[in-house]
Coordinates of all heavy atoms in Angstrom, one line a residue:
A203 N -240.4 90.7 -4.1 CA -241.5 90.6 -3.1 C -241.3 89.5 -2.1 O -242.0 89.3 -1.2 CB -242.8 90.3 -3.8
D204 N -240.2 88.7 -2.2 CA -239.9 87.7 -1.2 C -239.5 88.2 0.1 O -238.8 89.3 0.1 CB -238.7 86.8 -1.8 CG -239.2 85.9 -3.0 OD1 -240.4 85.7 -3.1 OD2 -238.3 85.5 -3.7
D205 N -239.6 87.5 1.1 CA -239.3 87.8 2.5 C -237.9 87.2 2.7 O -237.9 85.9 3.0 CB -240.2 87.3 3.4 CG -239.8 87.6 4.9 OD1 -238.8 88.3 5.1 OD2 -240.6 87.2 5.9
V206 N -236.8 87.9 2.5 CA -235.5 87.3 2.7 C -235.2 86.7 4.1 O -234.3 85.7 4.2 CB -234.5 88.3 2.3 CG1 -234.2 89.4 3.4 CG2 -233.1 87.6 1.9
T207 N -235.9 87.1 5.1 CA -235.7 86.6 6.4 C -236.0 85.1 6.5 O -235.6 84.5 7.6 CB -236.4 87.3 7.5 OG1 -237.8 87.3 7.3 CG2 -235.9 88.7 7.6
R208 N -236.9 84.6 5.6 CA -237.2 83.2 5.5 C -236.0 82.3 5.3 O -236.0 81.1 5.6 CB -238.3 83.0 4.5 CG -239.6 83.6 4.8 CD -240.6 83.3 3.7 NE -240.9 81.9 3.5 CZ -241.4 81.4 2.4 NH1 -241.7 82.2 1.3 NH2 -241.7 80.1 2.3
L209 N -234.8 82.8 4.9 CA -233.6 82.1 4.5 C -232.9 81.8 5.8 O -231.9 81.0 5.8 CB -232.8 82.8 3.5 CG -233.2 82.9 2.1 CD1 -232.2 83.8 1.3 CD2 -233.3 81.5 1.6
E210 N -233.1 82.5 7.0 CA -232.2 82.6 8.0 C -232.0 81.0 8.5 O -230.8 80.8 8.8 CB -232.9 83.4 9.2 CG -231.9 83.5 10.4 CD -232.3 84.7 11.2 OE1 -233.5 85.0 11.3 OE2 -231.5 85.0 12.1
P211 N -232.9 80.2 8.7 CA -232.5 78.9 9.1 C -231.7 78.0 8.3 O -231.1 77.0 8.6 CB -233.9 78.1 9.3 CG -235.0 79.2 9.1 CD -234.4 80.3 8.5
Y212 N -231.6 78.4 6.9 CA -230.8 77.6 5.9 C -229.5 78.3 5.5 O -228.8 77.8 4.6 CB -231.7 77.4 4.6 CG -233.1 77.0 5.0 CD1 -234.2 78.0 5.0 CD2 -233.4 75.7 5.5 CE1 -235.4 77.4 5.3 CE2 -234.8 75.2 5.8 CZ -235.6 76.2 5.7 OH -237.0 75.8 6.1
L213 N -229.1 79.5 6.1 CA -228.1 80.2 5.5 C -226.7 79.4 5.5 O -226.0 79.5 4.6 CB -227.8 81.4 6.4 CG -228.9 82.5 6.1 CD1 -228.7 83.7 7.0 CD2 -228.9 83.0 4.6
Y214 N -226.5 78.5 6.5 CA -225.3 77.7 6.5 C -225.2 76.7 5.4 O -224.2 76.2 5.2 CB -225.1 77.0 7.8 CG -226.1 75.9 8.1 CD1 -225.7 74.6 7.9 CD2 -227.4 76.2 8.4 CE1 -226.6 73.6 8.2 CE2 -228.3 75.2 8.7 CZ -227.9 73.8 8.5 OH -228.8 72.9 8.8
R215 N -226.4 76.5 4.7 CA -226.4 75.4 3.7 C -226.3 76.1 2.3 O -226.3 75.4 1.3 CB -227.7 74.6 3.8 CG -227.6 73.7 5.1 CD -229.1 73.2 5.5 NE -229.4 72.4 4.4 CZ -230.6 71.7 4.4 NH1 -231.5 72.1 5.5 NH2 -231.0 71.0 3.4
I216 N -226.4 77.5 2.2 CA -226.5 78.2 1.0 C -225.1 78.6 0.5 O -224.4 79.2 1.1 CB -227.4 79.3 1.1 CG1 -228.8 79.0 1.4 CG2 -227.4 80.2 -0.2 CD1 -229.6 80.1 1.9
E217 N -224.8 78.2 -0.8 CA -223.5 78.7 -1.4 C -223.7 80.0 -2.2 O -222.8 80.8 -2.2 CB -223.1 77.5 -2.5 CG -221.8 77.8 -3.1 CD -221.4 76.7 -4.0 OE1 -221.8 75.5 -3.8 OE2 -220.6 76.9 -4.9
I218 N -225.0 80.2 -2.7 CA -225.1 81.5 -3.5 C -226.5 82.0 -3.3 O -227.5 81.1 -3.4 CB -224.9 81.4 -4.9 CG1 -225.0 82.7 -5.6 CG2 -225.6 80.3 -5.6 CD1 -224.5 82.7 -7.1
V219 N -226.7 83.3 -3.1 CA -228.0 83.9 -3.0 C -228.0 84.9 -4.3 O -227.1 85.7 -4.4 CB -228.4 84.6 -1.9 CG1 -229.7 85.3 -2.0 CG2 -228.4 83.7 -0.6
A220 N -229.0 84.6 -5.3 CA -229.2 85.6 -6.2 C -230.3 86.6 -6.0 O -231.3 86.1 -5.7 CB -229.3 84.9 -7.6
V221 N -230.1 87.9 -6.0 CA -231.1 88.9 -5.9 C -231.4 89.4 -7.2 O -230.6 89.9 -8.0 CB -230.6 89.9 -4.8 CG1 -230.6 89.4 -3.4 CG2 -229.4 90.6 -5.2
D222 N -232.8 89.5 -7.4 CA -233.3 90.0 -8.8 C -233.6 91.4 -8.9 O -234.2 91.9 -7.9 CB -234.6 89.0 -9.0 CG -235.1 89.3 -10.5 OD1 -234.3 89.7 -11.3 OD2 -236.3 89.2 -10.7
F223 N -233.0 92.0 -9.8 CA -233.3 93.4 -10.2 C -234.2 93.3 -11.5 O -233.6 93.4 -12.6 CB -232.1 94.2 -10.4 CG -231.3 94.4 -9.2 CD1 -230.4 93.5 -8.7 CD2 -231.4 95.7 -8.5 CE1 -229.6 93.8 -7.5 CE2 -230.7 96.0 -7.3 CZ -229.9 95.0 -6.9
P224 N -235.4 93.2 -11.4 CA -236.3 93.2 -12.6 C -236.3 94.3 -13.6 O -236.6 94.2 -14.8 CB -237.7 92.7 -12.2 CG -237.7 93.2 -10.7 CD -236.3 93.2 -10.3
A225 N -236.1 95.5 -13.0 CA -236.0 96.8 -13.7 C -235.2 97.7 -12.9 O -234.9 97.6 -11.7 CB -237.5 97.3 -13.6
F226 N -234.5 98.7 -13.7 CA -233.5 99.5 -13.1 C -234.2 100.3 -12.0 O -233.4 100.9 -11.1 CB -232.9 100.5 -14.3 CG -233.9 101.6 -14.6 CD1 -233.7 102.8 -14.0 CD2 -234.8 101.3 -15.6 CE1 -234.6 103.8 -14.4 CE2 -235.7 102.5 -16.0 CZ -235.6 103.7 -15.4
N227 N -235.4 100.6 -12.0 CA -236.0 101.5 -11.0 C -236.7 100.8 -9.8 O -237.3 101.3 -9.0 CB -237.1 102.3 -11.6 CG -238.2 101.6 -12.3 OD1 -238.1 100.5 -12.4 ND2 -239.2 102.4 -12.6
D228 N -236.3 99.3 -9.7 CA -236.8 98.6 -8.6 C -235.7 98.3 -7.7 O -234.8 97.3 -8.0 CB -237.5 97.2 -9.1 CG -238.1 96.4 -8.0 OD1 -237.8 96.7 -6.8 OD2 -239.1 95.7 -8.4
G229 N -235.7 98.9 -6.5 CA -234.5 98.8 -5.7 C -234.6 97.9 -4.6 O -233.7 98.0 -3.7
R230 N -235.6 97.1 -4.5 CA -235.8 96.2 -3.4 C -234.8 95.2 -3.2 O -234.4 94.7 -2.1 CB -237.1 95.4 -3.5 CG -238.4 96.4 -3.3 CD -239.7 95.7 -3.4 NE -239.9 95.6 -5.0 CZ -240.9 94.9 -5.5 NH1 -241.9 94.4 -4.7 NH2 -241.0 94.8 -6.8
A231 N -234.1 94.8 -4.3 CA -232.9 93.9 -4.1 C -231.7 94.5 -3.3 O -231.0 93.7 -2.8 CB -232.4 93.4 -5.5
F232 N -231.6 95.9 -3.4 CA -230.6 96.6 -2.6 C -230.9 96.3 -1.1 O -230.0 96.0 -0.3 CB -230.6 98.1 -2.9 CG -229.9 98.5 -4.1 CD1 -230.7 98.9 -5.2 CD2 -228.6 98.4 -4.2 CE1 -230.2 99.3 -6.5 CE2 -227.9 98.9 -5.5 CZ -228.7 99.3 -6.5
S233 N -232.2 96.3 -0.8 CA -232.5 96.1 0.6 C -232.3 94.6 1.0 O -231.9 94.4 2.1 CB -234.0 96.4 0.9 OG -234.2 97.8 0.6
H234 N -232.7 93.7 0.1 CA -232.3 92.3 0.4 C -230.9 92.0 0.6 O -230.4 91.4 1.6 CB -232.9 91.4 -0.8 CG -234.4 91.4 -1.0 ND1 -235.3 91.5 0.0 CD2 -235.1 91.3 -2.1 CE1 -236.5 91.3 -0.4 NE2 -236.4 91.3 -1.7
A235 N -230.0 92.6 -0.2 CA -228.6 92.4 -0.1 C -228.1 92.9 1.1 O -227.3 92.3 2.0 CB -227.8 93.1 -1.3
S236 N -228.5 94.2 1.4 CA -228.0 94.8 2.8 C -228.6 93.9 4.0 O -227.9 93.7 5.0 CB -228.7 96.2 3.0 OG -228.0 97.0 2.0
L237 N -229.8 93.5 4.0 CA -230.3 92.6 5.0 C -229.6 91.3 5.2 O -229.2 90.9 6.3 CB -231.8 92.3 4.8 CG -232.8 92.5 6.0 CD1 -234.3 92.5 5.2 CD2 -232.7 91.3 6.8
L238 N -229.3 90.6 4.1 CA -228.5 89.4 4.2 C -227.2 89.6 4.8 O -226.6 88.8 5.6 CB -228.4 88.8 2.8 CG -229.5 88.1 2.3 CD1 -229.6 87.9 0.7 CD2 -229.6 86.8 2.9
R239 N -226.4 90.7 4.2 CA -225.0 90.9 4.8 C -225.1 91.4 6.2 O -224.3 91.0 7.0 CB -224.3 92.0 3.8 CG -224.1 91.3 2.4 CD -223.0 90.3 2.5 NE -222.5 90.1 1.2 CZ -222.0 88.8 0.7 NH1 -222.2 87.8 1.6 NH2 -221.7 88.6 -0.5
D240 N -225.8 92.4 6.5 CA -225.7 93.1 7.7 C -226.4 92.4 9.0 O -226.0 92.3 10.0 CB -226.1 94.7 7.6 CG -225.3 95.4 6.6 OD1 -224.2 95.0 6.4 OD2 -225.8 96.4 6.1
R241 N -227.7 92.1 8.7 CA -228.5 91.6 9.7 C -228.5 90.1 9.9 O -228.4 89.5 11.0 CB -230.0 92.0 9.6 CG -230.2 93.4 9.8 CD -231.6 93.8 10.0 NE -231.7 95.2 9.9 CZ -233.0 95.8 9.6 NH1 -234.0 95.1 9.3 NH2 -233.0 97.1 9.6
L242 N -228.4 89.5 8.7 CA -228.4 87.9 8.8 C -226.9 87.3 8.7 O -226.8 86.2 8.8 CB -229.3 87.4 7.7 CG -230.7 87.8 7.7 CD1 -231.5 87.2 6.4 CD2 -231.4 87.3 8.8
A243 N -226.0 88.2 8.5 CA -224.6 87.7 8.6 C -224.2 86.7 7.5 O -223.4 86.0 7.7 CB -224.1 87.4 9.9
Y244 N -224.9 86.9 6.3 CA -224.6 85.9 5.2 C -223.2 86.2 4.6 O -223.1 87.4 4.2 CB -225.8 85.9 4.2 CG -225.5 85.2 3.0 CD1 -225.5 83.8 3.1 CD2 -225.1 85.7 1.8 CE1 -225.2 82.9 1.9 CE2 -224.8 84.8 0.5 CZ -225.0 83.5 0.8 OH -224.7 82.8 -0.4
R245 N -222.3 85.3 4.5 CA -221.0 85.7 3.9 C -220.5 84.9 2.7 O -219.6 85.3 2.1 CB -219.9 85.2 5.0 CG -220.1 86.1 6.2 CD -219.7 87.5 6.1 NE -220.1 88.5 7.1 CZ -221.0 89.3 7.1 NH1 -221.6 89.6 6.0 NH2 -221.3 90.0 8.2
N246 N -221.5 84.1 2.1 CA -221.2 83.4 0.8 C -221.5 84.3 -0.4 O -221.9 85.5 -0.2 CB -221.9 82.1 0.8 CG -221.1 81.0 1.6 OD1 -220.1 81.3 2.1 ND2 -222.0 80.1 2.0
E247 N -221.5 83.8 -1.5 CA -221.6 84.6 -2.7 C -223.1 85.3 -2.7 O -224.1 84.6 -2.5 CB -221.4 83.7 -4.0 CG -221.5 84.6 -5.3 CD -221.1 83.9 -6.5 OE1 -220.5 82.7 -6.3 OE2 -221.1 84.4 -7.6
L248 N -223.1 86.4 -3.1 CA -224.3 87.3 -3.4 C -224.3 87.9 -4.7 O -223.4 88.6 -5.0 CB -224.4 88.5 -2.3 CG -225.7 89.2 -2.1 CD1 -226.9 88.2 -1.9 CD2 -225.7 90.0 -1.1

């Protein structure tokens, strides 16, 4: 339920972002990962 865009001002300080998959049928973390990589250009460990 987190808004991953809140990380944008801090991305250069982050070494790792962990995205939580609480259940096999909850795919919101797929969206978080795509947003981080494609729109926010996060390049460190995911």
Side-chain angles (χ1 to χ4, degrees):
D204 288 342
D205 178 5
V206 74
T207 61
R208 292 178 60 202
L209 290 176
E210 191 168 15
Y212 312 103
L213 288 176
Y214 71 98
R215 297 169 59 187
I216 300 174
E217 185 175 335
I218 182 173
V219 175
V221 290
D222 186 27
F223 288 85
F226 78 93
N227 60 351
D228 188 340
R230 292 177 285 179
F232 284 106
S233 298
H234 291 325
S236 292
L237 223 163
L238 280 161
R239 291 293 193 212
D240 298 336
R241 291 193 192 159
L242 300 177
Y244 176 72
R245 296 293 167 243
N246 289 340
E247 185 172 353
L248 186 55

